[in-house]
Amino acid sequence: MPLLAVPMDLPPDLTEVHAGDVDGDGREELVFVSRATGRAGVDGVSLTVVSVDDAGGVSARSTISLGAVPLLWDIHSGLHGVGADGPVTLGPEGPRTIANAPTLLAALGPTTPVSTDVVEDLDGDGVPEVVFFSRGRLRAVSVDGRDRGSVSAAVRGALQERSESGGRAQHLTARWPSLVIADLDGDGREDLLLPEGQGLTAFLTGETVGASRLDLRLPVDLDPVDDAAGKQGRRKELGRAWFEDVDADGRVDLVVQHWLVDGSWFGTRAEVALYRGTGTGFGPPQAVETISAPVEVRTIDHDGDGDLDLLVPQVDTGIGNLARALLSRRVSVDARLHPMEQGRWRAEPVVLRSLSFPVDDPDAVAVSLDGDIDGDGRLDAVLVERGEPLQLYLGGPAGLAESPSATTPVSLPPGDDPLFVRDLTGDGRAEILVWGPGAAKGTLIRYQ
């Protein structure tokens, strides 16, 4: 089937693209983020919300000005966030305070608003909660103004004074505790998890937030001390870690990626370990090792069965391969997938596709494996190299198709992530938005 490309006007000063259900109709809208520097020298933010009709055209467009005020915003059955005075909801008139609960943001002057995860439906009643820190408490307030409870959670800070601009300047930095919103005990409610080092404080959600508390010891130190002297010879270094329900059993799991370094960066590999959630902690590690250095580590539901497979695009960092890359001016990346089978990742990966990137301009090639384009329940791959048509590779039981199933001419704009893939029409088939920061025009591509 062909790909249909529809041109789309983009708002000025565009910097980011998001998607979410803004109007609560169960269908996602595009949310464009524009930033423009104001008179105070601080970027102000405006959001342009675009609804897409069944044919892929724009059916509605509206703009919300956030200005240059300290604000954390999120999309979840509407636009909501956290401002200086507490939780807010966002509409055409700008931020409107839901409940009075002052935050540290009140100490800031002109500030650029930031998108982050602060809204979640904790108890599954259809009314999301804004989760935020206020006066030494981690609070949850429903977007309809109901107080859902709070727990004690200290904010760490640092004070500094130095001469600056002809006078004395006092600097304050504040860091909220790391927060994970996930279901630890598998009861269908989202809990508040605060990991720190090798410990995890879990505030379980019942009728209120923090109805009970668990203090757990994690199997891995998530905040290891950076010991430069210890970075010698063969070693294992923490890359990243995150909490996610990987095996689809309703309980959050812990995923930890380590770098396996053998003396130097050449020949570096990685180990990715899954610690399955037990409801009261985490089980023993189930680890897979890569044969070379991964470009990134992601979990995706490639086969549409509900659990998450492990995607590790890898590049051979051996001296021989790097020498060949310098001669050809291109480097090869293998997209390898470890399918999830019976609660664990298969040790032997499936090579979905080998991709070639120009060494001098890696942004000249864009790849996405973020959506099901044809609606068959499996993720598909979108590939476009500057000056070449966009290519669609459909996913199947054995991986990705060897040859493109459809192509369409498209102009690839500059930018780190010019392919935004989401189902905007609600028909189970994801659309492809080709966009670039500051670009006046974009292209929305649909599978027909």
Side-chain angles (χ1 to χ4, degrees):
M1 298 179 73
L3 293 171
L4 176 64
V6 179
M8 176 180 289
D9 292 328
L10 301 179
D13 304 313
L14 177 62
T15 59
E16 303 171 32
V17 180
H18 300 264
D21 186 3
V22 175
D23 55 11
D25 65 351
R27 186 159 152 173
E28 292 193 327
E29 287 78 40
L30 286 166
V31 179
F32 295 111
V33 181
S34 297
R35 290 176 54 162
T37 304
R39 286 180 293 182
V42 177
D43 287 351
V45 168
S46 62
L47 307 180
T48 301
V49 180
V50 173
S51 300
V52 176
D53 60 26
D54 294 341
V58 174
S59 61
R61 183 186 293 253
S62 61
T63 300
I64 298 173
S65 177
L66 304 184
V69 297
L71 177 70
L72 306 173
W73 65 272
D74 195 4
I75 312 170
H76 196 303
S77 299
L79 288 165
H80 313 284
V82 180
D85 296 326
V88 300
T89 188
L90 306 176
E93 71 285 351
R96 178 180 61 83
T97 301
I98 299 171
N100 186 31
T103 72
L104 282 177
L105 298 178
L108 301 180
T111 308
T112 301
V114 172
S115 169
T116 187
D117 295 329
V118 291
V119 184
E120 187 65 57
D121 186 359
L122 298 177
D123 53 9
D125 65 352
V127 181
E129 283 75 36
V130 182
V131 181
F132 63 102
F133 292 92
S134 173
R135 294 177 173 173
R137 309 285 295 180
L138 177 58
R139 297 190 56 179
V141 175
S142 295
V143 297
D144 60 7
R146 290 177 294 151
D147 187 353
R148 301 310 314 278
S150 66
V151 297
S152 176
V155 176
R156 292 186 175 181
L159 293 172
Q160 188 179 49
E161 183 273 339
R162 63 175 181 259
S163 296
E164 190 174 279
S165 301
R168 290 181 177 178
Q170 290 83 37
H171 294 262
L172 164 66
T173 60
R175 184 178 72 84
W176 284 269
S178 297
L179 172 64
V180 178
I181 301 177
D183 187 356
L184 178 72
D185 54 0
D187 67 348
R189 297 186 177 102
E190 302 294 307
D191 308 306
L192 306 182
L193 314 180
L194 278 67
E196 183 177 8
Q198 206 161 351
L200 175 72
T201 302
F203 295 102
L204 304 184
T205 300
E207 293 301 317
T208 61
V209 168
S212 59
R213 170 175 171 164
L214 289 176
D215 291 292
L216 308 176
R217 182 173 176 81
L218 296 173
V220 176
D221 186 352
L222 303 186
D223 301 301
V225 176
D226 188 7
D227 182 11
K231 293 185 177 181
Q232 307 278 338
R234 183 174 296 178
R235 61 193 183 274
K236 181 187 290 190
E237 296 180 5
L238 179 65
R240 59 184 290 250
W242 67 96
F243 294 86
E244 189 174 28
D245 183 9
V246 174
D247 55 5
D249 68 348
R251 297 173 298 198
V252 71
D253 310 305
L254 172 62
V255 183
V256 180
Q257 181 240 315
H258 279 99
W259 295 108
L260 304 178
V261 185
D262 191 1
S264 71
W265 182 77
F266 295 107
T268 292
R269 298 175 295 113
E271 174 193 85
V272 185
L274 169 63
Y275 299 85
R276 297 180 65 185
T278 64
T280 56
F282 301 92
Q286 301 172 6
V288 297
E289 292 188 10
T290 66
I291 62 173
S292 57
V295 177
E296 65 173 338
V297 175
R298 291 176 54 197
T299 50
I300 62 173
D301 185 7
H302 178 259
D303 49 14
D305 63 354
D307 57 29
L308 300 180
D309 312 300
L310 182 67
L311 177 67
V312 280
Q314 298 168 55
V315 58
D316 185 353
T317 56
I319 295 177
N321 184 65
L322 294 179
R324 287 189 294 271
L326 289 175
L327 290 174
S328 65
R329 312 307 301 168
R330 297 186 75 90
V331 64
S332 179
V333 176
D334 292 336
R336 297 175 180 265
L337 184 82
H338 295 266
M340 170 69 69
E341 296 176 344
Q342 298 180 343
R344 61 191 313 131
W345 288 315
R346 189 197 305 171
E348 291 299 320
V350 176
V351 179
L352 296 180
R353 177 157 296 280
S354 293
L355 304 170
S356 178
F357 292 81
V359 174
D360 299 324
D361 187 13
D363 289 343
V365 177
V367 183
S368 170
L369 196 64
D370 296 328
D372 176 12
I373 308 297
D374 63 345
D376 69 345
R378 299 179 183 273
L379 294 183
D380 307 308
V382 181
L383 170 66
V384 58
E385 183 166 0
R386 193 166 295 135
E388 300 292 334
L390 179 143
Q391 302 178 25
L392 170 65
Y393 294 87
L394 296 180
L400 294 173
E402 288 293 327
S403 58
S405 304
T407 65
T408 188
V410 70
S411 176
L412 184 66
D416 293 336
D417 194 9
L419 301 177
F420 185 81
V421 180
R422 293 292 278 268
D423 180 8
L424 303 170
T425 60
D427 64 354
R429 296 180 296 177
E431 284 72 41
I432 308 160
L433 175 66
V434 184
W435 75 286
K441 295 283 186 179
T443 305
L444 192 67
I445 300 171
R446 302 180 61 235
Y447 187 74
Q448 295 293 298

